[in-house]
Amino acid sequence: MNAPKENNKTLRRPYKVEQKPLWWLDNSYYFRYMIRESTSLIVLIYGLVIVVGLLRLTQGPYMWQGWVETVSSPLMFPLHLLALLAVVYHAYTWFKLAPRIMALRISGKPVSDQKVEWAHWIVMLGVTVACLLVASCGGALL
Amino acid sequence: MNSEHDIPNSSTMRVEVQRYRPELDARPWWQAFDVPYTNDTSVLEALQYIKDELDSSLSFRWSCRMAICGSCGFMINGVPKLGCKSFLRDYGALKIAALDNFPIERDLVADISGFVEKLETVKPYLMREDPSDLDTSVPISRAFNQTPQQLSLYKQFSQCINCGICYAACPQFGRDPEFLGPAALTLAYRYNQDSRDQGKKDRMPLLNAEEGVWGCTFVGYCSEVCPKSVDPAAAINQGKAASAIDYALNLVQLGGDK
């Protein structure tokens, strides 16, 4: 093939805009998305604390007691509070989205988004209460 | 009319328009115009006024003026919208730019060909497997009846007008142009959900891929800005459930499509 003639050269020169590193600061919708996603980091940290607790439990009563004292110290209170807020906020955003993913139908009729959302809250509260009951009365039952 | 939204005939609005003339400009720049408007002046009409009366060199796409052709998508004050469906009465000042996340061809014309190519790859049309339907020498003579319930499984997702506004609202597409993106994935899911279609196994590999449904992180802004309330985010994330089931079926070799 011959080289294209000079007058055949395209005059097109599409301008490409690169995504800004801080794209999520320009739009409040994106900002709330980033807050929603970043709650998982706090949950990750709290999860690691719990995993360390399990490890201490396998190392005997002395080590376990040390871990319990550490997590009960007032210095740890902000982490507990932050983790609780992060989980509740994440649950709130997730339960809002869940109905659109589930597209639930009962005998052919679509179930309203509100019902699916409330069902999630009821199940979460039920499981939370059950866990708290087992945690506080479990020793007594044994 | 004497509603409180009535705007005196003499009103003008400062409209800033993004210009980019590839033969002249190194990068886009803003040009300001003063545009007279009334209660029912759309952003598209404002652009037409600029082109007719103030600067004929301005380029933008439009066709139907009634939110069905999907040509006049712009970033209007930073939000992707159809120009014909946005009105000056709802704004104090206007900044109009080409749709985000696409290369700018000229002025307000975004090059959305990448999106159109992606749309083609997901085969957004009814596909049949039955040999009698594949014989193209005779016209199809039977009806493919559908119950209202079967229709309701995909109807919302079939309202897409391919305007590309959801792509301008998708930071995942902005980050990775290989991502199939909201509209293409929604159309793929729409045909998979159609009881008349038998082409699911051709589409699942695309949905299952990294650039398929799993490239979506449910930012959800696509559904927020969609001018036809298609809710692409719902379609994609329902597609994730379908993709996960497909993966599991593959794993135990019960079918599914790799």
Side-chain angles (χ1 to χ4, degrees), chain B:
Chain B
M1 286 200 300
N2 286 310
S3 81
E4 55 180 308
H5 297 296
D6 262 7
I7 286 151
N9 287 332
S10 57
S11 291
T12 60
M13 188 179 288
R14 175 52 59 103
V15 178
E16 284 184 82
V17 180
Q18 192 186 49
R19 300 299 308 268
Y20 172 65
R21 301 160 299 176
E23 70 282 7
L24 292 172
D25 304 327
R27 63 187 60 80
W29 52 284
W30 294 96
Q31 189 176 8
F33 301 97
D34 288 314
V35 178
Y37 70 104
T38 56
N39 201 24
D40 58 0
T41 306
S42 69
V43 169
L44 178 60
E45 283 172 314
L47 292 172
Q48 286 168 329
Y49 178 86
I50 293 170
K51 191 169 176 72
D52 291 346
E53 309 289 339
L54 305 174
D55 188 339
S56 61
S57 70
L58 179 68
S59 293
F60 55 95
R61 283 205 186 102
W62 66 280
S63 179
C64 77
R65 302 164 284 108
M66 46 193 272
I68 199 64
C69 77
S71 308
C72 66
F74 309 114
M75 300 303 294
I76 300 175
N77 289 2
V79 177
K81 280 172 171 288
L82 290 179
C84 63
K85 221 185 163 189
S86 311
F87 294 88
L88 269 65
R89 61 170 185 255
D90 297 324
Y91 297 90
L94 274 178
K95 279 189 103 163
I96 310 171
L99 283 181
D100 269 357
N101 300 337
F102 291 110
I104 303 171
E105 190 70 42
R106 172 184 290 275
D107 296 341
L108 301 176
V109 179
D111 176 12
I112 64 164
S113 54
F115 152 54
V116 177
E117 280 161 27
K118 288 185 173 71
L119 196 60
E120 286 170 11
T121 63
V122 302
K123 306 189 177 181
Y125 38 81
L126 293 177
M127 292 199 283
R128 298 292 299 175
E129 268 190 339
D130 300 347
S132 60
D133 299 328
L134 292 176
D135 183 2
T136 50
S137 62
V138 286
I140 289 174
S141 55
R142 65 195 177 94
F144 294 88
N145 291 337
Q146 215 164 32
T147 64
Q149 196 184 319
Q150 285 169 325
L151 174 71
S152 72
L153 287 177
Y154 70 84
K155 191 180 176 201
Q156 180 186 14
F157 304 137
S158 70
Q159 305 299 306
C160 175
I161 57 172
N162 304 335
C163 59
I165 280 177
C166 51
Y167 284 74
C170 177
Q172 292 297 347
F173 177 68
R175 200 178 65 86
D176 174 17
E178 295 300 308
F179 175 45
L180 278 177
L185 289 168
T186 301
L187 263 287
Y189 186 69
R190 170 250 178 279
Y191 281 95
N192 281 351
Q193 287 289 93
D194 194 317
S195 59
R196 301 164 296 177
D197 179 80
Q198 296 175 326
K200 192 176 177 186
K201 68 168 171 29
D202 284 2
R203 296 189 199 98
M204 283 319 283
L206 287 155
L207 260 67
N208 294 342
E210 186 83 33
E211 295 78 29
V213 288
W214 302 103
C216 165
T217 53
F218 214 149
V219 179
Y221 198 44
C222 53
S223 297
E224 191 76 9
V225 298
C226 176
K228 307 305 281 186
S229 304
V230 170
D231 201 352
I236 298 170
N237 287 283
Q238 288 172 33
K240 282 182 190 166
S243 175
I245 291 166
D246 194 64
Y247 174 79
L249 288 176
N250 254 325
L251 213 60
V252 294
Q253 314 226 316
L254 271 174
D257 317 283
K258 187 67 194 152

Side-chain angles (χ1 to χ4, degrees), chain A residues 2 20 25 40 45 63-64 77 83 98 109 118 129 134 141:
Chain A
N2 295 326
K20 284 188 276 179
L25 287 179
S40 62
I45 293 166
M63 297 297 270
W64 167 249
F77 181 74
K109 290 211 174 79
W118 278 106
V129 169
V134 170
L141 291 173

Side-chain angles (χ1 to χ4, degrees), chain A:
Chain A
M1 286 261 300
N2 295 326
K5 285 183 200 149
E6 188 68 13
N7 58 1
N8 283 347
K9 241 170 62 180
T10 178
L11 290 172
R12 285 190 62 196
R13 203 160 56 82
Y15 186 85
K16 286 197 175 108
V17 189
E18 292 292 314
Q19 188 177 55
K20 284 188 276 179
L22 294 176
W23 54 269
W24 49 277
L25 287 179
D26 291 347
N27 182 315
S28 67
Y29 202 94
Y30 292 158
F31 185 75
R32 272 176 285 146
Y33 160 77
M34 287 302 261
I35 297 287
R36 181 191 97 192
E37 295 296 292
S38 60
T39 53
S40 62
L41 290 174
I42 301 162
V43 175
L44 170 75
I45 293 166
Y46 202 76
L48 288 174
V49 171
I50 303 285
V51 168
V52 169
L54 276 175
L55 191 71
R56 291 287 174 263
L57 191 61
T58 63
Q59 289 166 337
Y62 180 71
M63 297 297 270
W64 167 249
Q65 201 53 43
W67 181 82
V68 170
E69 272 162 29
T70 310
V71 292
S72 324
S73 83
L75 280 176
M76 288 290 278
F77 181 74
L79 180 67
H80 293 301
L81 185 68
L82 207 59
L84 180 67
L85 290 175
V87 168
V88 169
Y89 182 70
H90 198 96
Y92 164 77
T93 57
W94 178 245
F95 294 172
K96 273 242 171 300
L97 297 177
R100 286 160 63 198
I101 304 169
M102 292 176 70
L104 210 60
R105 278 158 194 273
I106 291 174
S107 61
K109 290 211 174 79
V111 181
S112 78
D113 285 5
Q114 276 94 347
K115 277 186 188 150
V116 178
E117 194 185 332
W118 278 106
H120 276 81
W121 279 113
I122 290 163
V123 170
M124 182 173 114
L125 285 176
V127 171
T128 306
V129 169
C131 286
L132 286 174
L133 278 177
V134 170
S136 52
C137 319
L141 291 173
L142 289 170

